[in-house]
């Protein structure tokens, strides 16, 4: 048996230090971005105005509702459906007042919000009451479950708001479309002359409008799987593992911000000369493209503009593929869930391209950023067995 040499001991110590630094770097970056926010906006001569109403409503109400619904669907993939339905039935049968309340609540929801959102909120209510019943109303367990989800979600919320702020800041000091021509050319080289815009406009003449509307559902529904991953990770493995998920997502965002500062690009919709004449105006994506285009230009020209909102001008790398890959990695050992997410993400790839949000090389960049973020933050604790 040989003792460890001083050189190998030093190397092992250095590797351990590097891993610890990478694992905790997102905390440092979040703190630095927060402290530097006001000075950075002052240096850029931009007013720091944040649309808090939008963020609070869209994140804590809209995204929370859709995330609970998505988590419920994913949970049913790995848990006996019949047993769960029987449990819900027994609990609600024992308290019929609940059913009356739910029926009245549902009528109001559908009338005010539409049947789709109304039904989703009804499912959320049933799920939350079922969680209360299964924990037997134990306030300590309920508080622990709430903290396990809320604290990591709040950390991600704060980090994402910072990302949107700095995205606006970068767009005001670096021309946002500086590298769009480069990425468009790179697409043509790597994919044998087929650029994203050319592919999109071919599809516009061959596919019905309903196909693009379906792609929008997949594209914008991606955020619900992130929230679902938070809920399932937190409830199954606790706050620490959920914070690791938040840290991995934020690390990917911070890497993307850095790349955007070096190689700013907005996407093929910005570079395509006929996008706003050929792309269907009835799609929600058309309006998003128009608003982003105008907002980015106003920031660069230092014209009066709206407060910081969901302003995300980064084409390369694609965070819309980086985030699902991170979620997939955290949930990968739940085989059925992983299979469904993979199928979803395959359609998502088509949606990203055909809605003209990203160049095809952006997807490769997003996959690389996801891999780097996972490698940096991964601790090896809390793995699914």
């Amino acid at each position: 048996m040989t003792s460890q040499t001083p050189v190998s001991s030093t190397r092992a110590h250095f590797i351990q230090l590097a891993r610890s630094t990478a694992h905790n770097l997102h905390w440092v970056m979040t703190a630095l971005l927060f402290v530097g926010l006001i000075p950075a906006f002052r240096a850029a001569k931009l007013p720091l105005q944040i649309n808090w109403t939008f963020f609070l409503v869209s994140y804590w109400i809209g995204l929370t509702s859709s995330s609970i619904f998505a988590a419920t669907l994913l949970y049913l993939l790995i848990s006996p459906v019949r047993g769960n339905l029987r449990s819900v039935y027994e609990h609600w049968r024992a308290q019929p007042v609940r059913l009356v309340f739910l029926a009245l609540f549902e009528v109001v929801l559908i009338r005010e919000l539409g049947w789709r959102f109304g039904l989703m909120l009804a499912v959320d209510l049933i799920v939350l009451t079922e969680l209360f019943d299964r924990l037997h109303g134990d306030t300590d367990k309920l508080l622990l479950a709430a903290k396990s989800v809320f604290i990591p979600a709040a950390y991600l919320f704060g980090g994402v708001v910072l990302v949107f702020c700095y995205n606006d800041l970068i767009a005001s000091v670096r021309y946002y479309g500086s590298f769009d021509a480069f990425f468009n050319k790179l697409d043509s080289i790597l994919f044998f002359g087929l650029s994203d815009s050319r592919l999109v406009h071919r599809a516009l003449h061959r596919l019905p409008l309903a196909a693009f509307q379906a792609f929008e559902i997949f594209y914008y529904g991606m955020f619900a799987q992130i929230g679902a991953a938070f809920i399932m990770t937190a409830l199954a493995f606790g706050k620490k593992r959920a914070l690791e998920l938040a840290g991995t997502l934020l690390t990917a965002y911070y890497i993307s911000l850095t790349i955007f500062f070096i190689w700013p690009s907005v996407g093929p919709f910005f570079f395509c000369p006929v996008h706003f004449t050929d792309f269907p105006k009835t799609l929600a994506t058309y309006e998003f493209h128009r608003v982003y285009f105008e907002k980015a230009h106003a920031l660069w020209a230092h014209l009066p503009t709206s407060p910081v909102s969901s302003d995300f001008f980064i084409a390369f790398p694609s965070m819309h593929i980086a985030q699902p890959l991170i979620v997939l990695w955290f949930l990968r050992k739940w085989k059925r869930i992983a299979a469904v997410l993979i199928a979803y993400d395959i359609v998502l790839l088509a949606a990203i391209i055909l809605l003209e949000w990203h160049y095809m090389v952006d997807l490769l960049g997003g996959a690389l950023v996801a891999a780097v973020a996972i490698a940096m933050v991964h601790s090896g604790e809390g793995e699914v067995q």
Side-chain angles (χ1 to χ4, degrees), residues 259-282:
I259 294 173
F260 181 65
F261 181 80
I262 300 171
W263 301 306
S265 64
V266 180
F269 75 89
F270 164 78
F271 190 71
C272 177
V274 295
H275 175 74
F276 289 107
T277 57
D278 288 2
F279 199 81
K281 295 179 176 60
T282 54

Side-chain angles (χ1 to χ4, degrees), residues 1 38 49 61 65 74 78 85 103 109 114 161-162 164 211 261 266 281-282 290 309 345:
M1 183 176 180
I38 294 177
Q49 299 174 331
I61 297 178
S65 302
L74 293 178
I78 58 173
L85 292 178
L109 285 177
V161 172
L162 286 172
F164 286 135
F261 181 80
V266 180
K281 295 179 176 60
T282 54
R290 186 190 64 78
S309 186
D345 293 343

Side-chain angles (χ1 to χ4, degrees), residues 66-209:
S66 60
S67 297
I68 294 173
F69 183 79
T72 302
L73 296 180
L74 293 178
Y75 174 74
L76 292 176
L77 291 172
I78 58 173
S79 181
V81 176
R82 183 176 298 178
N84 282 296
L85 292 178
R86 183 183 297 114
S87 175
V88 172
Y89 172 74
E90 293 296 337
H91 289 144
W92 282 73
R93 189 180 69 169
Q95 300 185 55
V97 175
R98 282 186 183 179
L99 190 58
V100 176
F101 172 77
L102 177 63
L104 294 174
F105 186 60
E106 185 62 17
V107 169
V108 175
L109 285 177
I110 292 177
R111 187 175 63 182
E112 297 296 326
L113 304 174
W115 67 268
R116 184 179 299 173
F117 198 59
L119 289 177
M120 183 181 71
L121 288 179
V123 172
D124 291 350
L125 177 61
I126 293 171
V127 169
L128 292 175
T129 55
E130 181 64 13
L131 177 63
F132 179 86
D133 289 333
R134 294 192 181 189
L135 294 179
H136 306 291
D138 189 318
T139 53
D140 290 336
K141 291 181 179 179
L142 287 168
L143 182 60
L144 178 62
K147 288 169 59 178
S148 297
V149 176
F150 176 77
I151 292 176
Y155 176 52
L156 179 65
F157 173 74
V160 168
V161 172
L162 286 172
V163 168
F164 286 135
C165 289
Y166 278 92
N167 199 188
D168 278 17
L169 180 65
I170 293 172
S172 74
V173 298
R174 292 276 289 159
Y175 180 59
Y176 46 89
S178 297
F179 281 81
D180 275 283
F182 170 76
F183 288 119
N184 186 69
K185 181 66 175 178
L186 194 57
D187 260 14
S188 298
I189 295 173
L190 294 179
F191 297 97
F192 309 102
L194 183 64
S195 68
D196 178 78
S197 292
R198 183 180 298 179
L199 177 64
V200 169
H201 290 282
R202 284 182 183 177
L204 286 172
H205 291 92
R206 289 172 171 80
L207 297 177
L209 181 63

